[in-house]
mmCIF file of all heavy atoms in Angstrom:
data_model
loop_
_atom_site.group_PDB
_atom_site.id
_atom_site.type_symbol
_atom_site.label_atom_id
_atom_site.label_comp_id
_atom_site.label_asym_id
_atom_site.label_seq_id
_atom_site.Cartn_x
_atom_site.Cartn_y
_atom_site.Cartn_z
ATOM 1 N N TYR A 248 -5.008 13.260 -12.768
ATOM 2 C CA TYR A 248 -4.549 11.837 -12.276
ATOM 3 C C TYR A 248 -5.025 10.935 -13.252
ATOM 4 O O TYR A 248 -6.180 10.737 -13.625
ATOM 5 C CB TYR A 248 -5.243 11.699 -10.965
ATOM 6 C CG TYR A 248 -4.893 12.660 -9.798
ATOM 7 C CD1 TYR A 248 -5.826 13.651 -9.560
ATOM 8 C CD2 TYR A 248 -3.683 12.572 -9.242
ATOM 9 C CE1 TYR A 248 -5.383 14.533 -8.583
ATOM 10 C CE2 TYR A 248 -3.283 13.431 -8.251
ATOM 11 C CZ TYR A 248 -4.215 14.482 -7.862
ATOM 12 O OH TYR A 248 -3.995 15.224 -6.913
ATOM 13 N N LEU A 249 -4.091 10.043 -13.701
ATOM 14 C CA LEU A 249 -4.391 8.922 -14.540
ATOM 15 C C LEU A 249 -4.170 7.563 -13.781
ATOM 16 O O LEU A 249 -2.987 7.350 -13.409
ATOM 17 C CB LEU A 249 -3.373 8.950 -15.718
ATOM 18 C CG LEU A 249 -3.591 7.747 -16.744
ATOM 19 C CD1 LEU A 249 -4.964 7.646 -17.190
ATOM 20 C CD2 LEU A 249 -2.522 7.801 -17.794
ATOM 21 N N PHE A 250 -5.270 6.851 -13.514
ATOM 22 C CA PHE A 250 -5.168 5.655 -12.873
ATOM 23 C C PHE A 250 -5.026 4.581 -13.854
ATOM 24 O O PHE A 250 -5.538 4.532 -14.931
ATOM 25 C CB PHE A 250 -6.422 5.454 -12.028
ATOM 26 C CG PHE A 250 -6.648 6.443 -10.832
ATOM 27 C CD1 PHE A 250 -7.222 7.633 -11.004
ATOM 28 C CD2 PHE A 250 -6.061 5.981 -9.673
ATOM 29 C CE1 PHE A 250 -7.382 8.442 -10.033
ATOM 30 C CE2 PHE A 250 -6.250 6.996 -8.612
ATOM 31 C CZ PHE A 250 -6.837 8.198 -8.759
ATOM 32 N N CYS A 251 -4.087 3.490 -13.404
ATOM 33 C CA CYS A 251 -3.843 2.406 -14.260
ATOM 34 C C CYS A 251 -3.740 1.182 -13.470
ATOM 35 O O CYS A 251 -3.474 1.123 -12.158
ATOM 36 C CB CYS A 251 -2.681 2.552 -15.167
ATOM 37 S SG CYS A 251 -1.187 2.823 -14.229
ATOM 38 N N CYS A 252 -3.974 -0.135 -14.030
ATOM 39 C CA CYS A 252 -3.887 -1.413 -13.419
ATOM 40 C C CYS A 252 -3.516 -2.378 -14.473
ATOM 41 O O CYS A 252 -3.066 -1.974 -15.522
ATOM 42 C CB CYS A 252 -5.068 -1.713 -12.670
ATOM 43 S SG CYS A 252 -6.548 -1.980 -13.618
ATOM 44 N N THR A 253 -3.747 -3.576 -14.318
ATOM 45 C CA THR A 253 -3.480 -4.618 -15.254
ATOM 46 C C THR A 253 -4.397 -4.450 -16.524
ATOM 47 O O THR A 253 -4.013 -4.364 -17.758
ATOM 48 C CB THR A 253 -3.644 -6.031 -14.746
ATOM 49 O OG1 THR A 253 -2.677 -6.214 -13.619
ATOM 50 C CG2 THR A 253 -3.374 -7.090 -15.810
ATOM 51 N N GLY A 254 -5.660 -4.501 -16.287
ATOM 52 C CA GLY A 254 -6.603 -4.461 -17.435
ATOM 53 C C GLY A 254 -7.650 -3.245 -17.484
ATOM 54 O O GLY A 254 -8.417 -3.151 -18.431
ATOM 55 N N GLY A 255 -7.472 -2.356 -16.528
ATOM 56 C CA GLY A 255 -8.344 -1.073 -16.603
ATOM 57 C C GLY A 255 -9.626 -1.134 -15.656
ATOM 58 O O GLY A 255 -10.269 -0.152 -15.549
ATOM 59 N N VAL A 256 -9.764 -2.227 -14.997
ATOM 60 C CA VAL A 256 -11.046 -2.428 -14.190
ATOM 61 C C VAL A 256 -10.731 -1.775 -12.731
ATOM 62 O O VAL A 256 -11.451 -1.057 -12.237
ATOM 63 C CB VAL A 256 -11.604 -3.851 -14.134
ATOM 64 C CG1 VAL A 256 -12.783 -4.014 -13.221
ATOM 65 C CG2 VAL A 256 -11.858 -4.327 -15.526
ATOM 66 N N MET A 257 -9.631 -2.364 -12.143
ATOM 67 C CA MET A 257 -9.292 -1.930 -10.819
ATOM 68 C C MET A 257 -9.063 -0.520 -10.789
ATOM 69 O O MET A 257 -9.469 0.300 -9.737
ATOM 70 C CB MET A 257 -8.175 -2.689 -10.210
ATOM 71 C CG MET A 257 -8.495 -4.186 -9.708
ATOM 72 S SD MET A 257 -7.258 -5.029 -8.970
ATOM 73 C CE MET A 257 -5.719 -4.011 -8.957
ATOM 74 N N SER A 258 -8.478 0.083 -11.746
ATOM 75 C CA SER A 258 -8.123 1.603 -11.766
ATOM 76 C C SER A 258 -9.339 2.277 -12.095
ATOM 77 O O SER A 258 -9.535 3.409 -11.597
ATOM 78 C CB SER A 258 -6.880 1.680 -12.882
ATOM 79 O OG SER A 258 -7.448 1.351 -14.132
ATOM 80 N N TYR A 259 -10.264 1.815 -12.748
ATOM 81 C CA TYR A 259 -11.528 2.520 -12.923
ATOM 82 C C TYR A 259 -12.274 2.500 -11.761
ATOM 83 O O TYR A 259 -12.820 3.681 -11.332
ATOM 84 C CB TYR A 259 -12.472 1.764 -14.050
ATOM 85 C CG TYR A 259 -13.644 2.480 -14.515
ATOM 86 C CD1 TYR A 259 -13.488 3.430 -15.488
ATOM 87 C CD2 TYR A 259 -14.864 2.254 -13.888
ATOM 88 C CE1 TYR A 259 -14.618 4.267 -15.855
ATOM 89 C CE2 TYR A 259 -15.911 2.996 -14.283
ATOM 90 C CZ TYR A 259 -15.796 3.955 -15.278
ATOM 91 O OH TYR A 259 -16.859 4.698 -15.566
ATOM 92 N N MET A 260 -12.314 1.575 -10.842
ATOM 93 C CA MET A 260 -12.787 1.639 -9.568
ATOM 94 C C MET A 260 -12.103 2.650 -8.750
ATOM 95 O O MET A 260 -12.786 3.430 -7.953
ATOM 96 C CB MET A 260 -12.802 0.276 -8.880
ATOM 97 C CG MET A 260 -13.767 -0.754 -9.580
ATOM 98 S SD MET A 260 -13.915 -2.340 -8.744
ATOM 99 C CE MET A 260 -12.271 -2.823 -8.350
ATOM 100 N N ALA A 261 -10.766 2.734 -8.747
ATOM 101 C CA ALA A 261 -9.941 3.745 -8.064
ATOM 102 C C ALA A 261 -10.383 5.072 -8.438
ATOM 103 O O ALA A 261 -10.574 5.938 -7.563
ATOM 104 C CB ALA A 261 -8.537 3.480 -8.169
ATOM 105 N N ALA A 262 -10.590 5.266 -9.775
ATOM 106 C CA ALA A 262 -10.953 6.529 -10.236
ATOM 107 C C ALA A 262 -12.308 7.143 -9.801
ATOM 108 O O ALA A 262 -12.505 8.224 -9.372
ATOM 109 C CB ALA A 262 -10.840 6.637 -11.816
ATOM 110 N N ILE A 263 -13.154 6.053 -9.782
ATOM 111 C CA ILE A 263 -14.543 6.557 -9.283
ATOM 112 C C ILE A 263 -14.361 6.859 -7.786
ATOM 113 O O ILE A 263 -15.030 7.768 -7.401
ATOM 114 C CB ILE A 263 -15.484 5.282 -9.443
ATOM 115 C CG1 ILE A 263 -15.898 5.187 -11.015
ATOM 116 C CG2 ILE A 263 -16.766 5.437 -8.694
ATOM 117 C CD1 ILE A 263 -16.629 4.022 -11.347
ATOM 118 N N HIS A 264 -13.709 6.055 -7.005
ATOM 119 C CA HIS A 264 -13.655 6.308 -5.593
ATOM 120 C C HIS A 264 -12.930 7.654 -5.358
ATOM 121 O O HIS A 264 -13.380 8.375 -4.465
ATOM 122 C CB HIS A 264 -12.655 5.216 -5.022
ATOM 123 C CG HIS A 264 -12.775 5.192 -3.465
ATOM 124 N ND1 HIS A 264 -13.725 4.796 -2.683
ATOM 125 C CD2 HIS A 264 -11.731 5.710 -2.655
ATOM 126 C CE1 HIS A 264 -13.457 4.970 -1.466
ATOM 127 N NE2 HIS A 264 -12.223 5.484 -1.301
ATOM 128 N N ALA A 265 -11.861 8.024 -6.177
ATOM 129 C CA ALA A 265 -11.289 9.326 -6.056
ATOM 130 C C ALA A 265 -12.309 10.359 -6.403
ATOM 131 O O ALA A 265 -12.381 11.426 -5.554
ATOM 132 C CB ALA A 265 -10.125 9.367 -6.922
ATOM 133 N N GLN A 266 -12.971 10.218 -7.441
ATOM 134 C CA GLN A 266 -13.934 11.397 -7.804
ATOM 135 C C GLN A 266 -15.056 11.491 -6.926
ATOM 136 O O GLN A 266 -15.371 12.608 -6.507
ATOM 137 C CB GLN A 266 -14.444 10.865 -9.209
ATOM 138 C CG GLN A 266 -15.197 11.995 -9.916
ATOM 139 C CD GLN A 266 -15.579 11.637 -11.374
ATOM 140 O OE1 GLN A 266 -16.390 10.926 -11.567
ATOM 141 N NE2 GLN A 266 -14.886 12.352 -12.294
ATOM 142 N N GLU A 267 -15.662 10.293 -6.297
ATOM 143 C CA GLU A 267 -16.608 10.451 -5.365
ATOM 144 C C GLU A 267 -16.223 11.129 -3.989
ATOM 145 O O GLU A 267 -17.011 11.589 -3.176
ATOM 146 C CB GLU A 267 -17.156 8.986 -4.959
ATOM 147 C CG GLU A 267 -18.067 8.540 -6.047
ATOM 148 C CD GLU A 267 -18.490 6.993 -5.830
ATOM 149 O OE1 GLU A 267 -17.860 6.374 -4.969
ATOM 150 O OE2 GLU A 267 -19.346 6.570 -6.460
ATOM 151 N N HIS A 268 -14.838 11.182 -3.848
ATOM 152 C CA HIS A 268 -14.232 11.802 -2.640
ATOM 153 C C HIS A 268 -13.673 13.143 -2.878
ATOM 154 O O HIS A 268 -12.880 13.711 -2.170
ATOM 155 C CB HIS A 268 -13.274 10.875 -1.880
ATOM 156 C CG HIS A 268 -13.930 9.870 -1.194
ATOM 157 N ND1 HIS A 268 -14.311 8.708 -1.739
ATOM 158 C CD2 HIS A 268 -14.125 9.693 0.126
ATOM 159 C CE1 HIS A 268 -14.843 7.876 -0.830
ATOM 160 N NE2 HIS A 268 -14.854 8.462 0.370
ATOM 161 N N GLY A 269 -14.187 13.757 -4.023
ATOM 162 C CA GLY A 269 -13.770 15.148 -4.313
ATOM 163 C C GLY A 269 -12.420 15.309 -5.016
ATOM 164 O O GLY A 269 -12.136 16.468 -5.278
ATOM 165 N N VAL A 270 -11.847 14.252 -5.505
ATOM 166 C CA VAL A 270 -10.595 14.569 -6.410
ATOM 167 C C VAL A 270 -11.043 14.868 -7.783
ATOM 168 O O VAL A 270 -11.935 14.318 -8.292
ATOM 169 C CB VAL A 270 -9.758 13.147 -6.393
ATOM 170 C CG1 VAL A 270 -8.519 13.371 -7.172
ATOM 171 C CG2 VAL A 270 -9.434 12.742 -5.062
ATOM 172 N N LYS A 271 -10.436 15.808 -8.305
ATOM 173 C CA LYS A 271 -10.795 16.356 -9.565
ATOM 174 C C LYS A 271 -9.782 16.012 -10.679
ATOM 175 O O LYS A 271 -8.739 15.503 -10.466
ATOM 176 C CB LYS A 271 -10.907 17.911 -9.630
ATOM 177 C CG LYS A 271 -11.794 18.384 -8.479
ATOM 178 C CD LYS A 271 -12.547 19.523 -8.952
ATOM 179 C CE LYS A 271 -13.361 20.165 -7.846
ATOM 180 N NZ LYS A 271 -14.285 19.386 -7.083
ATOM 181 N N ASN A 272 -10.193 15.936 -11.868
ATOM 182 C CA ASN A 272 -9.423 15.777 -13.086
ATOM 183 C C ASN A 272 -8.967 14.296 -13.144
ATOM 184 O O ASN A 272 -7.694 13.975 -13.019
ATOM 185 C CB ASN A 272 -8.183 16.653 -13.345
ATOM 186 C CG ASN A 272 -8.770 18.083 -13.535
ATOM 187 O OD1 ASN A 272 -9.508 18.258 -14.419
ATOM 188 N ND2 ASN A 272 -8.131 19.002 -12.914
ATOM 189 N N VAL A 273 -9.777 13.372 -13.036
ATOM 190 C CA VAL A 273 -9.570 11.885 -12.761
ATOM 191 C C VAL A 273 -9.710 11.193 -14.159
ATOM 192 O O VAL A 273 -10.751 11.381 -14.782
ATOM 193 C CB VAL A 273 -10.510 11.304 -11.810
ATOM 194 C CG1 VAL A 273 -10.279 9.791 -11.636
ATOM 195 C CG2 VAL A 273 -10.222 11.955 -10.483
ATOM 196 N N PHE A 274 -8.771 10.462 -14.518
ATOM 197 C CA PHE A 274 -8.838 9.555 -15.790
ATOM 198 C C PHE A 274 -8.462 8.179 -15.560
ATOM 199 O O PHE A 274 -7.865 7.901 -14.589
ATOM 200 C CB PHE A 274 -7.833 10.219 -16.841
ATOM 201 C CG PHE A 274 -8.162 11.662 -17.145
ATOM 202 C CD1 PHE A 274 -7.702 12.632 -16.262
ATOM 203 C CD2 PHE A 274 -8.913 12.080 -18.174
ATOM 204 C CE1 PHE A 274 -7.900 14.006 -16.542
ATOM 205 C CE2 PHE A 274 -9.180 13.301 -18.518
ATOM 206 C CZ PHE A 274 -8.714 14.289 -17.689
ATOM 207 N N ASN A 275 -8.860 7.373 -16.473
ATOM 208 C CA ASN A 275 -8.425 5.886 -16.346
ATOM 209 C C ASN A 275 -7.774 5.435 -17.700
ATOM 210 O O ASN A 275 -8.052 5.906 -18.750
ATOM 211 C CB ASN A 275 -9.722 5.013 -16.200
ATOM 212 C CG ASN A 275 -9.452 3.582 -16.009
ATOM 213 O OD1 ASN A 275 -8.722 3.305 -15.096
ATOM 214 N ND2 ASN A 275 -10.005 2.712 -16.803
ATOM 215 N N LEU A 276 -6.737 4.536 -17.507
ATOM 216 C CA LEU A 276 -6.133 4.108 -18.631
ATOM 217 C C LEU A 276 -6.904 2.836 -19.222
ATOM 218 O O LEU A 276 -6.895 1.817 -18.671
ATOM 219 C CB LEU A 276 -4.626 3.629 -18.360
ATOM 220 C CG LEU A 276 -3.856 3.084 -19.423
ATOM 221 C CD1 LEU A 276 -3.589 4.046 -20.671
ATOM 222 C CD2 LEU A 276 -2.539 2.533 -19.059
ATOM 223 N N GLU A 277 -7.555 3.048 -20.411
ATOM 224 C CA GLU A 277 -8.398 2.051 -20.995
ATOM 225 C C GLU A 277 -7.578 0.856 -21.376
ATOM 226 O O GLU A 277 -6.588 0.948 -22.112
ATOM 227 C CB GLU A 277 -9.062 2.711 -22.192
ATOM 228 C CG GLU A 277 -10.093 1.716 -22.902
ATOM 229 C CD GLU A 277 -10.814 2.408 -24.071
ATOM 230 O OE1 GLU A 277 -10.009 3.250 -24.673
ATOM 231 O OE2 GLU A 277 -12.031 2.245 -24.075
ATOM 232 N N GLY A 278 -7.883 -0.358 -20.860
ATOM 233 C CA GLY A 278 -7.187 -1.511 -21.213
ATOM 234 C C GLY A 278 -6.005 -1.808 -20.259
ATOM 235 O O GLY A 278 -5.399 -2.879 -20.330
ATOM 236 N N GLY A 279 -5.551 -0.875 -19.574
ATOM 237 C CA GLY A 279 -4.552 -0.958 -18.565
ATOM 238 C C GLY A 279 -3.201 -1.291 -19.107
ATOM 239 O O GLY A 279 -2.968 -1.281 -20.263
ATOM 240 N N HIS A 280 -2.401 -1.820 -18.223
ATOM 241 C CA HIS A 280 -0.987 -2.104 -18.633
ATOM 242 C C HIS A 280 -0.884 -3.101 -19.710
ATOM 243 O O HIS A 280 0.033 -3.070 -20.572
ATOM 244 C CB HIS A 280 -0.161 -2.501 -17.370
ATOM 245 C CG HIS A 280 1.205 -2.998 -17.646
ATOM 246 N ND1 HIS A 280 1.577 -4.203 -17.997
ATOM 247 C CD2 HIS A 280 2.414 -2.212 -17.700
ATOM 248 C CE1 HIS A 280 2.896 -4.274 -18.260
ATOM 249 N NE2 HIS A 280 3.451 -3.020 -18.128
ATOM 250 N N SER A 281 -1.764 -4.159 -19.598
ATOM 251 C CA SER A 281 -1.702 -5.172 -20.554
ATOM 252 C C SER A 281 -1.860 -4.596 -22.123
ATOM 253 O O SER A 281 -1.225 -5.132 -22.992
ATOM 254 C CB SER A 281 -2.662 -6.376 -20.182
ATOM 255 O OG SER A 281 -3.965 -5.823 -20.175
ATOM 256 N N ALA A 282 -2.990 -3.746 -22.211
ATOM 257 C CA ALA A 282 -3.005 -3.224 -23.438
ATOM 258 C C ALA A 282 -1.933 -2.397 -23.954
ATOM 259 O O ALA A 282 -1.458 -2.402 -25.085
ATOM 260 C CB ALA A 282 -4.288 -2.335 -23.577
ATOM 261 N N TRP A 283 -1.271 -1.641 -22.971
ATOM 262 C CA TRP A 283 -0.100 -0.815 -23.363
ATOM 263 C C TRP A 283 1.091 -1.815 -23.738
ATOM 264 O O TRP A 283 1.794 -1.503 -24.750
ATOM 265 C CB TRP A 283 0.300 0.068 -22.196
ATOM 266 C CG TRP A 283 1.332 1.022 -22.402
ATOM 267 C CD1 TRP A 283 1.364 2.127 -23.337
ATOM 268 C CD2 TRP A 283 2.670 1.127 -21.830
ATOM 269 N NE1 TRP A 283 2.509 2.784 -23.294
ATOM 270 C CE2 TRP A 283 3.429 2.161 -22.376
ATOM 271 C CE3 TRP A 283 3.266 0.309 -20.848
ATOM 272 C CZ2 TRP A 283 4.599 2.399 -21.925
ATOM 273 C CZ3 TRP A 283 4.528 0.570 -20.444
ATOM 274 C CH2 TRP A 283 5.243 1.615 -21.002
ATOM 275 N N ALA A 284 1.315 -2.824 -22.886
ATOM 276 C CA ALA A 284 2.438 -3.756 -23.277
ATOM 277 C C ALA A 284 2.218 -4.323 -24.594
ATOM 278 O O ALA A 284 3.162 -4.571 -25.481
ATOM 279 C CB ALA A 284 2.533 -4.816 -22.186
ATOM 280 N N LYS A 285 0.980 -4.749 -24.925
ATOM 281 C CA LYS A 285 0.676 -5.304 -26.253
ATOM 282 C C LYS A 285 0.963 -4.323 -27.385
ATOM 283 O O LYS A 285 1.496 -4.729 -28.360
ATOM 284 C CB LYS A 285 -0.797 -5.745 -26.253
ATOM 285 C CG LYS A 285 -1.249 -6.368 -27.540
ATOM 286 C CD LYS A 285 -2.760 -6.757 -27.387
ATOM 287 C CE LYS A 285 -3.177 -7.663 -28.665
ATOM 288 N NZ LYS A 285 -4.528 -7.909 -28.627
#
Side-chain angles (χ1 to χ4, degrees):
Y248 300 100
L249 175 59
F250 292 88
C251 59
C252 65
T253 301
V256 176
M257 286 184 355
S258 56
Y259 190 81
M260 294 186 313
I263 287 171
H264 189 77
Q266 196 171 65
E267 287 176 343
H268 285 82
V270 178
K271 307 228 183 297
N272 295 314
V273 174
F274 301 83
N275 184 54
L276 181 62
E277 185 175 39
H280 178 271
S281 61
W283 184 67
K285 185 177 180 181

